[in-house]
Amino acid sequence: MALNEVKIRNLKPKDKQYKVADSEGLYLLVKPNGSKLWRLKYRHNGKENVYSIGEYPSISLAEAREERFVIRKQVKSGINPNIKKREDRSVQIAKVENSFSNVALEWHSKNIKKWTPEHAEKLIGWITNDIIPVIGDMDIAEVKSPDILRVIKGIESRGALDVARRVLSICSQIFRYAMPLGKCNYDVTVGIGKTLEVRKRENFKCICVEEFPQLLKDMEKHECKPLTKLALKLVTLTFVRSSELREAKWSEINFDNAEWRIPAERMKMKELHLVPLSKQSIEILRVAQTLSHDSEYIFPNDRNLRKVMSENTLLYALYDMGYHKRMTVHGFRQLASTILNEKGFNLDAIERQLSHAERDNVRRAYNHAQYLPERRKMMQWWADYIDGTAEDSSNIIKAKFN
């Protein structure tokens, strides 16, 4: 039955959002927070789409039905209402020469060559998804601190505290770009950082050394995609950071010298890092060559070979094995550090292999090859130790990968 004002007012929120239909595709989406949003289903070129009309009671039932009439008329004329809505919004924003949107996109365009493609893509995503919908059509000179705060609080409301801090930094850079161009007089983000929510810092989860053999056995038994299993085994052998593994390229591997040279721009400490490769690591890489389908990445995304493996792939694999409360990918670094220290290896060699920060900047410039002979022996010992640590007698590194 069609909706009426009494029915709408009596709709109560539930634990999950739900829909209440009116007629001809019009319905209300009732959110857990109590908000009631008008939505209209329509089909365009054979595909179902959803058009956002607005929120009740700002948009009354009668007004929503009027909007439905307009939208359905557009659809009959071959127009996609969502595309037209975006185009109309773009025209409206473009009318304001110094809109925050225009200045932000200009700032991004001017600086894009300074960034890696991945970083540039993240920035434009935050600009278009988090900033522009809130203040994009405002003249940048008229944007005030409370406006920026609305952007930040909106991001914080979904729990993305790290993104909120980064977006605030982006806004600040955009203002500082616009100031000498005469588009605004000052950076209104100053002081907002003090209002940001702070995430409680937690140590990386890591199992105890005594549980390591069982983890290795679970890894071998776990049913997952072959490249995922190979990535788990290689991160265990090399104990590099998750991003350093996922973004690894074949061009970084020297099979003849059994070395993996990770360039400075991919390292947390922004210095070249050298990883001696054990025989077991070389074997894993050889198998990976047969599975990466000529991608430049050793562990490409299974949906797009031009992108890297998702940051959650390895974490989810550990979770599937039952380690969601006890272990992260970073935990392999902690395990390696603990065991290698207990076995009496040179502390400096271990720290260098973990690529921890060097306080002396002069030493930092030359330390990528420090203790290299010791590190080669240590990395081979570590691989052999892993081979012999599984609870049964099988060789966990040389086992079949499929």
Side-chain angles (χ1 to χ4, degrees):
M1 295 180 66
L3 290 171
N4 57 51
E5 292 291 339
V6 175
K7 288 182 180 180
I8 294 173
R9 286 195 296 269
N10 289 334
L11 292 175
K12 304 300 181 184
K14 300 179 181 179
D15 291 339
K16 294 183 179 180
Q17 65 180 27
Y18 64 98
K19 303 174 184 177
V20 182
D22 180 49
S23 59
E24 298 182 280
L26 181 66
Y27 64 91
L28 266 178
L29 181 65
V30 184
K31 293 281 197 174
N33 64 5
S35 61
K36 300 169 184 177
L37 309 175
W38 290 112
R39 297 289 187 263
L40 177 66
K41 289 192 297 185
Y42 68 93
R43 299 190 71 84
H44 184 265
N45 291 336
K47 295 183 178 180
E48 185 172 281
N49 296 265
V50 176
Y51 183 87
S52 298
I53 295 177
E55 183 173 0
Y56 177 88
S58 297
I59 304 294
S60 68
L61 174 59
E63 290 171 334
R65 287 172 174 169
E66 288 179 10
E67 184 72 2
R68 176 187 61 192
F69 174 80
V70 173
I71 297 307
R72 290 177 65 83
K73 189 175 181 180
Q74 290 177 359
V75 173
K76 288 182 180 179
S77 301
I79 297 172
N80 188 326
N82 277 327
I83 293 178
K84 185 177 186 304
K85 187 177 184 180
R86 288 196 293 269
E87 289 174 345
D88 290 346
R89 182 174 178 80
S90 298
V91 170
Q92 179 184 2
I93 292 174
K95 290 179 180 178
V96 182
E97 182 180 358
N98 292 332
S99 69
F100 195 95
S101 173
N102 289 344
V103 178
L105 296 176
E106 181 180 313
W107 167 81
H108 186 273
S109 176
K110 294 286 186 180
N111 291 279
I112 195 169
K113 291 182 179 180
K114 300 178 182 178
W115 307 314
T116 63
E118 293 79 10
H119 185 60
E121 187 175 349
K122 280 186 179 180
L123 292 176
I124 196 64
W126 289 328
I127 290 172
T128 56
N129 296 327
D130 292 310
I131 302 175
I132 288 179
V134 182
I135 60 171
D137 55 355
M138 294 180 66
D139 189 310
I140 191 170
E142 297 177 357
V143 175
K144 306 300 180 186
S145 296
D147 300 311
I148 299 297
L149 197 58
R150 280 193 292 123
V151 174
I152 302 305
K153 292 304 178 184
I155 300 171
E156 287 183 340
S157 68
R158 65 175 191 260
L161 305 187
D162 294 333
V163 174
R165 191 169 295 278
R166 294 183 183 186
V167 168
L168 179 61
S169 174
I170 291 170
C171 290
S172 176
Q173 293 177 61
I174 293 170
F175 278 110
R176 285 185 278 120
Y177 166 78
M179 286 165 59
L181 299 178
K183 296 179 182 292
C184 65
N185 295 322
Y186 53 90
D187 178 3
V188 303
T189 68
V190 175
I192 293 180
K194 297 178 181 179
T195 71
L196 294 180
E197 292 185 33
V198 178
R199 189 185 304 279
K200 183 179 180 181
R201 194 168 186 85
E202 298 179 356
N203 293 327
F204 291 105
K205 297 182 179 71
C206 180
I207 60 174
C208 61
V209 172
E210 289 74 19
E211 295 178 278
F212 193 29
Q214 184 60 48
L215 171 60
L216 295 174
K217 186 175 182 180
D218 291 339
M219 284 170 53
E220 189 55 41
K221 291 181 178 179
H222 182 57
E223 295 183 3
C224 60
K225 294 181 180 179
L227 272 178
T228 301
K229 183 169 286 192
L230 289 171
L232 271 175
K233 292 180 176 184
L234 191 60
V235 81
T236 308
L237 288 166
T238 59
F239 46 90
V240 294
R241 297 177 179 89
S242 175
S243 62
E244 294 160 8
L245 179 90
R246 293 184 301 99
E247 298 171 9
K249 297 181 178 180
W250 288 112
S251 59
E252 299 169 5
I253 305 298
N254 186 321
F255 284 101
D256 293 333
N257 295 337
E259 289 180 354
W260 174 11
R261 300 173 72 88
I262 308 177
E265 59 268 22
R266 287 212 306 106
M267 294 299 299
K268 180 179 180 181
M269 301 308 166
K270 301 305 178 185
E271 59 176 85
L272 173 67
H273 183 52
L274 194 152
V275 181
L277 297 171
S278 62
K279 295 176 183 178
Q280 291 90 331
S281 295
I282 291 292
E283 184 175 348
I284 287 173
L285 289 167
R286 291 296 188 192
V287 177
Q289 279 185 315
T290 68
L291 301 174
S292 57
H293 306 290
D294 297 324
S295 171
E296 65 173 320
Y297 297 107
I298 298 175
F299 300 108
N301 188 292
D302 58 358
R303 295 182 180 178
N304 187 341
L305 297 179
R306 291 178 294 179
K307 293 186 177 183
V308 302
M309 178 180 285
S310 167
E311 61 182 338
N312 289 323
T313 298
L314 300 185
L315 191 61
Y316 287 164
L318 288 170
Y319 286 5
D320 287 343
M321 287 184 270
Y323 291 87
H324 60 287
K325 293 183 178 180
R326 297 182 292 144
M327 185 67 176
T328 64
V329 178
H330 194 278
F332 289 110
R333 292 169 59 79
Q334 187 172 329
L335 281 171
S337 177
T338 300
I339 295 171
L340 292 172
N341 275 286
E342 287 179 352
K343 297 300 180 180
F345 283 94
N346 185 315
L347 176 60
D348 289 333
I350 297 171
E351 289 296 293
R352 180 84 291 276
Q353 198 54 57
L354 287 164
S355 68
H356 283 162
E358 171 60 62
R359 293 181 180 275
D360 187 330
N361 288 333
V362 176
R363 289 180 65 190
R364 284 185 65 186
Y366 300 97
N367 70 359
H368 63 270
Q370 279 184 336
Y371 307 104
L372 189 55
E374 292 179 69
R375 287 158 55 197
R376 288 189 188 280
K377 293 179 181 178
M378 180 177 71
M379 296 300 279
Q380 186 59 55
W381 180 92
W382 175 244
D384 294 339
Y385 171 84
I386 290 174
D387 271 355
T389 296
E391 287 186 340
D392 58 19
S393 59
S394 65
N395 186 320
I396 68 154
I397 297 302
K398 294 184 179 180
K400 293 181 180 179
F401 298 102
N402 48 29

